[in-house]
Amino acid sequence: MTTPGRRLAVNPIPYWAKAGKTREVFEEAFADFAKIGYSAVKADVPDGMEAQEYLDWIGSYGLAPAISLFSSPFDETIDITAEVERAKRFAGTQAALGLDRTMISSMAIAARMAQPAVGADFSRDRLNLAIENCGIICQILQSEGLRPLHHSHVGGVFETEEDIVTLLDELGPDLIGFGPDTGHLRWAGIEPASLIKRYADRLGGMHIKDVFPDHLGRRLSDAEAPGGRSYQELAATKRLWCEPGRGVVDFDAVLKALPEDYDGDFMIEIDEPSVDSRFESHQIAYHWAQLNLPVSRD
């Protein structure tokens, strides 16, 4: 198995978010990443492609596979039997790529996509069911050789600090680790460093994302007011996500909270670049990371 070892990785979200996960879209992203200097990319294997073909493909750009993500609503809308089978297929592919861990996340609850980052439409029954379902999927991933790490995401059932803490504390460290997203935590009103410090012994990977202050600090009453904007509408303003170091995430505090034995990757993730060029956006992030992150240099 491949252990990440503090590599600098990257997720090509802005390339495929609107265009889809096609071979042509990924090839443009891979070419840009190789030119910039990245050496690892989120392992998204296109449908119909075998693991070895994917390894050869990204390897031709000098890229290696980095920690991926299993996503599910985990709520009453899913068929848990079907999700178990999907998790088995996902895990088999990830293990075949040589990866030993994956992030696991909840998205997207309709009410929370409409009113993001404020814990809209909270239901204790839904949360309890989601924790139960997430635990089942974690057991499947573990049985297939992957260590599951909870990945925070606005719009999902595990959105607020209370949601996340309840999930992690109820499932426990033997079943689920921690793989935070600094931007999603900060948008939801959570200081990333405090949560990373609290679950430092469970940390196995992280997404490096920054946010502008423009849409932070919203309350549920604000989100419900006339003119309240959805997740997609806020992201499209280009005043939500930004390149690391250009927003309000306290990365100095985040890095101080890391345990000395942290062995995960740092994955750059910029859902919507704040500049016009995707290449420029990822180049800005790469240069910032080289100066600020304790990444491996081999």
Side-chain angles (χ1 to χ4, degrees):
M1 285 294 189
T2 299
T3 53
R6 298 194 176 197
R7 296 175 301 177
L8 180 62
V10 60
N11 186 351
I13 285 182
Y15 291 83
W16 59 254
K18 296 176 182 177
K21 295 182 178 181
T22 67
R23 189 178 186 99
E24 293 73 21
V25 166
F26 278 130
E27 285 176 343
E28 179 187 358
F30 297 161
D32 281 356
F33 297 158
K35 187 174 182 180
I36 292 168
Y38 290 100
S39 59
V41 65
K42 179 175 177 280
D44 276 333
V45 181
D47 290 340
M49 182 178 287
E50 296 297 323
Q52 188 57 54
E53 182 184 356
Y54 179 78
L55 284 173
D56 294 342
W57 182 32
I58 65 173
S60 69
Y61 293 92
L63 298 169
I67 188 170
S68 193
L69 173 73
F70 182 88
S71 177
S72 170
F74 290 119
D75 63 3
E76 68 280 0
T77 65
I78 68 166
D79 176 343
I80 190 60
T81 302
E83 290 295 81
V84 163
E85 293 306 312
R86 190 167 67 90
K88 288 179 180 178
R89 293 193 297 272
F90 170 84
T93 298
Q94 295 299 305
L97 294 176
L99 295 168
D100 66 354
R101 65 195 73 182
T102 184
M103 293 185 179
I104 182 169
S105 186
S106 169
M107 48 180 138
I109 305 299
R112 292 191 167 186
M113 294 297 286
Q115 301 171 2
V118 293
D121 193 31
F122 174 77
S123 164
R124 176 61 64 180
D125 288 342
R126 180 192 294 124
L127 180 61
N128 291 342
L129 175 62
I131 292 172
E132 178 183 346
N133 286 335
C134 185
I136 292 170
I137 297 301
C138 285
Q139 290 177 324
I140 295 300
L141 295 172
Q142 284 187 347
S143 70
E144 298 292 326
L146 294 183
R147 175 187 174 198
L149 310 170
H150 175 254
H151 182 70
S152 43
H153 202 287
V154 165
V157 70
F158 309 122
E159 180 181 67
T160 68
E161 184 164 7
E162 180 182 358
D163 298 334
I164 296 167
V165 167
T166 302
L167 167 73
L168 292 173
D169 289 356
E170 288 196 9
L171 292 188
D174 292 338
L175 192 54
I176 191 168
F178 189 42
D181 182 302
T182 57
H184 278 285
L185 289 174
R186 187 66 179 81
W187 185 15
I190 306 164
E191 283 299 333
S194 66
L195 215 56
I196 290 170
K197 186 175 182 180
R198 177 170 181 168
Y199 296 105
D201 61 335
R202 296 162 73 170
L203 193 66
M206 63 190 307
H207 282 187
I208 300 296
K209 184 187 272 131
D210 211 344
V211 286
F212 287 122
D214 304 43
H215 304 298
L216 306 186
R218 300 163 76 238
R219 297 167 298 179
L220 185 55
S221 57
D222 298 328
E224 293 174 331
R229 287 184 284 185
S230 70
Y231 183 113
Q232 294 89 344
E233 290 169 329
L234 291 174
T237 65
K238 284 190 172 290
R239 291 301 303 176
L240 178 61
W241 307 121
C242 60
E243 295 72 25
R246 294 191 164 196
V248 295
V249 171
D250 187 348
F251 284 108
D252 287 340
V254 166
L255 295 177
K256 288 179 182 177
L258 293 180
E260 291 185 4
D261 61 352
Y262 173 64
D263 67 349
D265 288 337
F266 296 99
M267 182 170 288
I268 297 295
E269 188 177 76
I270 310 161
D271 293 25
E272 181 66 41
S274 70
V275 295
D276 291 335
S277 164
R278 291 181 299 229
F279 180 90
E280 181 186 357
S281 174
H282 288 90
Q283 190 172 52
I284 290 168
Y286 179 84
H287 290 318
W288 175 89
Q290 293 297 314
L291 291 174
N292 293 279
L293 298 181
V295 293
S296 58
R297 307 292 176 181
D298 28 312

